Amino acid sequence: MADIHTLPLGDRERALVTGATGLLGSNIVRLLLDRGQEVVAFVRDLDRARTLLPADEPRLRLVQGDITAPASYRGVLHEVDEVFHTAAYFREYFQDPSLTGPLEAVNVRATGDLLRASAEAGVPVFVHTSSINTLALRGAGHPADETTPAPDRFLRLSESECYPSSKVRAERVVDDLVAAGNTGATRSVVVLPGWMWGPGDAGPTSAGRLFLDVARGSVRAVPRLSNYVVDARDVARACVAAARVGRHSRYVVAGSKVPLPELTGAVAARTGGRQPRPVPAGLAMAAAGLMELQAKLSGTEPTATRTAVGVLREGDRRHISSKLAERDLGVGPRPVEDTIGAMASWYREHGMLAGVEKAGRATTG
């Protein structure tokens, strides 16, 4: 795998990272700090940010605000050379699917507001994080890439119905602003990652939830499905490279297509948890429905939902090419074992595996 630290990316004085305590945002923050840059981390909770980011680093400045409130970030845009927009809302897999308001407010409208404000402030480059789920399905002989349109079912929506549709609508907002000449001299780039795994997943995201549940031995089975898995550190490197040396306005960084049993098996091997047994997708869907019912009765969040299994089913049919990003940005996928090992180390360092690994060993014993 090529490493962009070896590429002549040039220097920037200061960057703004939204969603800076999230999986991707925190990895961008650390990468930029490692490169000797100053970083403005835009966060909702300062106390949480101080525990998840190197708050004692003099080149890091924490700014508290709300991505849906432009007044909370406008003041810092005049101080930065680039904006990395990673803040997003994606919890709909674990809640009432009718609650789509935050998807539209955070993922769509806030993206347009931030890009407009960045252009007004004269920020040279704006990098927006999207998703490979905005790409229509393509066969193995003609894999989806940067030129692939969105799925037909998302093209005529007037509001977001799910996370992928919100990302389609957000990309459209970016494209419309550029086409209308409302972005001035600000160059916009969209990066489309696959299913992100990696260190720094404090949320946790769906990947982190699955990792921790496998570690504690509470996942008995997983569907025989595959999905594109990418290390968040590689996506962070791609975002920085796209801002510095990218020649295109859209880059797919899908990672590698990995069978879910192989992925969870790697987690179990690293943490001592029970290795889930592979089962047909239909059985996994039925089990997810039962988990949703149990979670509703107990007031907790389910390990899996029918919506999430549906996303995995669609991912199993995907064929995607990341060749443009590999060629232009010098970033290719690292081994899954590297990603899982880094996650295990990060969770241990942050005290999130102590009780979990004990429970996992008890379950498998």
Side-chain angles (χ1 to χ4, degrees):
M1 180 193 70
D3 187 334
I4 69 163
H5 286 279
T6 65
L7 299 179
L9 297 181
D11 295 322
R12 300 273 186 176
E13 183 177 345
R14 189 179 296 112
L16 171 69
V17 180
T18 71
T21 59
L23 173 57
L24 177 57
S26 64
N27 277 285
I28 292 178
V29 169
R30 293 181 183 280
L31 175 59
L32 293 174
L33 291 174
D34 287 346
R35 290 184 57 80
Q37 280 192 226
E38 294 184 18
V39 179
V40 177
F42 189 69
V43 301
R44 288 181 298 172
D45 186 328
L46 286 176
D47 290 336
R48 175 179 171 80
R50 292 186 183 105
T51 66
L52 297 175
L53 299 174
D56 57 347
E57 166 59 62
R59 287 173 287 113
L60 176 64
R61 176 185 169 195
L62 302 179
V63 173
Q64 186 177 30
D66 182 342
I67 196 62
T68 64
S72 63
Y73 57 70
R74 277 203 183 99
V76 300
L77 289 174
H78 294 278
E79 307 171 14
V80 302
D81 306 295
E82 52 194 354
V83 170
F84 296 98
H85 180 40
T86 76
Y89 182 85
F90 52 84
R91 300 292 287 178
E92 84 278 10
Y93 290 171
F94 307 104
Q95 67 177 34
D96 183 340
S98 67
L99 301 177
T100 58
L103 290 171
E104 192 72 14
V106 176
N107 296 358
V108 183
R109 290 196 296 271
T111 296
D113 290 341
L114 179 59
L115 177 52
R116 276 188 290 266
S118 298
E120 291 169 3
V123 178
V125 62
F126 176 93
V127 180
H128 169 60
T129 310
S130 187
S131 167
I132 59 169
N133 291 322
T134 65
L135 303 175
L137 296 179
R138 291 289 184 266
H142 184 59
D145 60 17
E146 290 77 6
T147 67
T148 303
D152 289 341
R153 67 186 186 278
F154 296 152
L155 291 178
R156 288 173 291 279
L157 294 179
S158 59
E159 63 180 15
S160 301
E161 293 183 349
C162 58
Y163 177 75
S165 67
S166 74
K167 286 300 187 178
V168 169
R169 287 177 51 73
E171 282 200 52
R172 186 182 304 162
V173 166
V174 171
D175 290 343
D176 288 349
L177 286 172
V178 172
N182 293 328
T183 54
T186 299
R187 180 171 67 90
S188 65
V189 188
V190 179
V191 174
L192 292 74
W195 189 13
M196 283 189 289
W197 289 61
D201 194 357
T205 66
S206 61
R209 287 171 59 84
L210 180 56
F211 181 102
L212 294 171
D213 285 340
V214 170
R216 65 171 57 96
S218 61
V219 180
R220 301 300 181 91
V222 293
R224 294 192 189 99
L225 298 171
S226 300
N227 207 347
Y228 281 89
V229 173
V230 64
D231 194 300
R233 293 170 295 177
D234 295 333
V235 181
R237 289 172 175 147
C239 287
V240 173
R244 309 292 177 78
V245 299
R247 295 174 295 168
H248 296 82
S249 61
R250 204 176 190 213
Y251 286 103
V252 173
V253 188
S256 303
K257 198 168 188 179
V258 181
L260 194 56
E262 177 185 325
L263 190 62
T264 55
V267 176
R270 280 284 185 170
T271 63
R274 178 205 305 267
Q275 181 166 342
R277 70 180 186 279
V279 299
L283 182 58
M285 184 68 79
L290 180 59
M291 291 179 193
E292 289 181 51
L293 178 59
Q294 292 173 333
K296 185 175 182 179
L297 294 174
S298 63
T300 60
E301 291 185 347
T303 298
T305 66
R306 286 167 292 178
T307 301
V309 175
V311 171
L312 286 172
R313 271 181 151 169
E314 185 172 273
D316 191 64
R317 303 196 305 273
R318 288 188 179 280
H319 297 278
I320 301 177
S321 170
S322 301
K323 289 182 179 179
L324 181 65
E326 292 173 8
R327 184 180 69 243
D328 270 20
L329 310 181
V331 180
R334 71 182 70 208
V336 168
E337 293 76 11
D338 183 337
T339 301
I340 299 303
M343 289 181 75
S345 297
W346 191 88
Y347 278 133
R348 288 191 187 101
E349 290 170 5
H350 288 78
M352 298 176 71
L353 270 185
V356 169
E357 286 186 309
K358 184 177 179 181
R361 286 192 294 269
T363 304
T364 57

